Amino acid sequence: MKKLGLLLLTLLLIVSCGKDPKMTVDKFIKSIQTKKFEQAAKYTINDEFSKDMNLKYDNKTQQLFFESLFKNMKYEIISSEKQPDNSYDVKVSVENIDVQKVFLTIYQKLFQEAFSGKGSKLSVEDEFKKILESENVPKSKNETTFKVIETSKGYKIDVSSENIDVLFGKFNSTLSNLNNLGEEENSIKSTDGGLNSSDKPIEPLKQLNNNQ
């Protein structure tokens, strides 16, 4: 009976962590899409992941933006390659709202309004709402590589800030470079841009909080 209990526990651990690197990444992203952050954390080696991915919105615009990003997040797992250190690089193509284009559009409208001489006041919140709820909201595809490690509890992901940034339409990197909006065209594929996993925390909402 005791052996049966241990066998069931082992099976549960394998299922919760993913049977292979690609399945682990797939379950992780699906958990993010459905806002099940504690479930997503089970597929990572990052102890503070679920705490970093909190959904405490400071205003309606912030809430609308992230709800739109969750809604429009689509992905495709492209490949999985074993590395010399026995980890796996799982490459994923992600489609989501093009955050940079959304901000650039708003900035252009603000600039035009300021020099139009009409004397009307543009509502930034209303403009964001129009764009994000539009059927023609700008979208982009980017690639990101998840590092998957085999542990005693199954396969786990060493989630990087760049992974999260790409999942959310490069939200953090856009807010970190607002002064450079429009200087570079968005690429269809981006495998090594964005934030570095080793020196920046995974806090997709924190950037917006700091730029209020």
Side-chain angles (χ1 to χ4, degrees):
M1 191 67 181
K2 188 179 291 185
K3 289 183 178 179
L4 179 60
L6 289 172
L7 178 60
L8 289 172
L9 179 61
T10 301
L11 288 173
L12 284 172
L13 286 171
I14 292 174
V15 170
S16 66
C17 297
K19 295 180 180 179
D20 62 64
K22 292 172 70 173
M23 182 182 292
T24 301
V25 173
D26 182 53
K27 289 187 175 182
F28 170 77
I29 299 177
K30 283 181 178 176
S31 297
I32 295 294
Q33 282 181 312
T34 53
K35 305 173 193 173
K36 297 177 181 177
F37 302 129
E38 289 188 5
Q39 179 68 27
K42 294 179 181 180
Y43 303 111
T44 77
I45 63 172
N46 308 73
D47 295 334
E48 301 296 316
F49 180 82
S50 59
K51 293 181 181 179
D52 291 337
M53 291 291 296
N54 68 80
L55 289 178
K56 293 180 180 179
Y57 304 117
D58 291 335
N59 54 61
K60 291 181 180 179
T61 302
Q62 187 186 84
Q63 182 175 0
L64 174 63
F65 218 124
F66 274 92
E67 291 296 334
S68 299
L69 288 168
F70 281 113
K71 179 181 177 181
N72 287 277
M73 187 187 299
K74 296 179 181 179
Y75 69 96
E76 178 185 1
I77 296 177
I78 299 173
S79 64
S80 176
E81 295 184 4
K82 191 171 185 178
Q83 303 302 304
D85 62 357
N86 291 323
S87 66
Y88 291 82
D89 282 354
V90 179
K91 186 179 293 185
V92 180
S93 174
V94 181
E95 180 183 75
N96 210 333
I97 291 173
D98 191 327
V99 175
Q100 186 179 97
K101 280 190 178 179
V102 170
F103 271 87
L104 185 59
T105 300
I106 298 295
Y107 276 28
Q108 288 173 339
K109 286 190 175 184
L110 287 172
F111 184 83
Q112 291 170 359
E113 189 69 21
F115 290 92
S116 66
K118 296 178 181 179
S120 59
K121 188 175 182 180
L122 190 71
S123 170
V124 176
E125 184 177 324
D126 288 344
E127 291 302 319
F128 270 118
K129 185 177 177 67
K130 286 179 186 177
I131 295 175
L132 295 173
E133 293 183 347
S134 169
E135 293 182 358
N136 298 317
V137 60
K139 296 181 181 180
S140 63
K141 283 186 178 181
N142 295 283
E143 290 182 3
T144 185
T145 300
F146 289 84
K147 186 178 182 64
V148 182
I149 301 169
E150 187 173 10
T151 72
S152 59
K153 295 181 180 180
Y155 290 100
K156 297 271 191 175
I157 306 169
D158 184 7
V159 183
S160 71
S161 294
E162 193 265 349
N163 294 150
I164 299 301
D165 193 40
V166 170
L167 286 178
F168 287 93
K170 293 197 169 183
F171 187 91
N172 279 357
S173 54
T174 296
L175 263 68
S176 297
N177 295 281
L178 287 178
N179 292 332
N180 300 319
L181 279 179
E183 290 187 3
E184 296 181 5
E185 292 185 1
N186 291 325
S187 59
I188 299 299
K189 295 182 179 180
S190 177
T191 57
D192 59 357
L195 305 175
N196 189 289
S197 62
S198 62
D199 56 7
K200 296 190 179 182
I202 305 165
E203 297 180 275
L205 298 186
K206 186 174 181 180
Q207 290 282 354
L208 186 52
N209 292 337
N210 291 339
N211 287 273
Q212 294 297 319

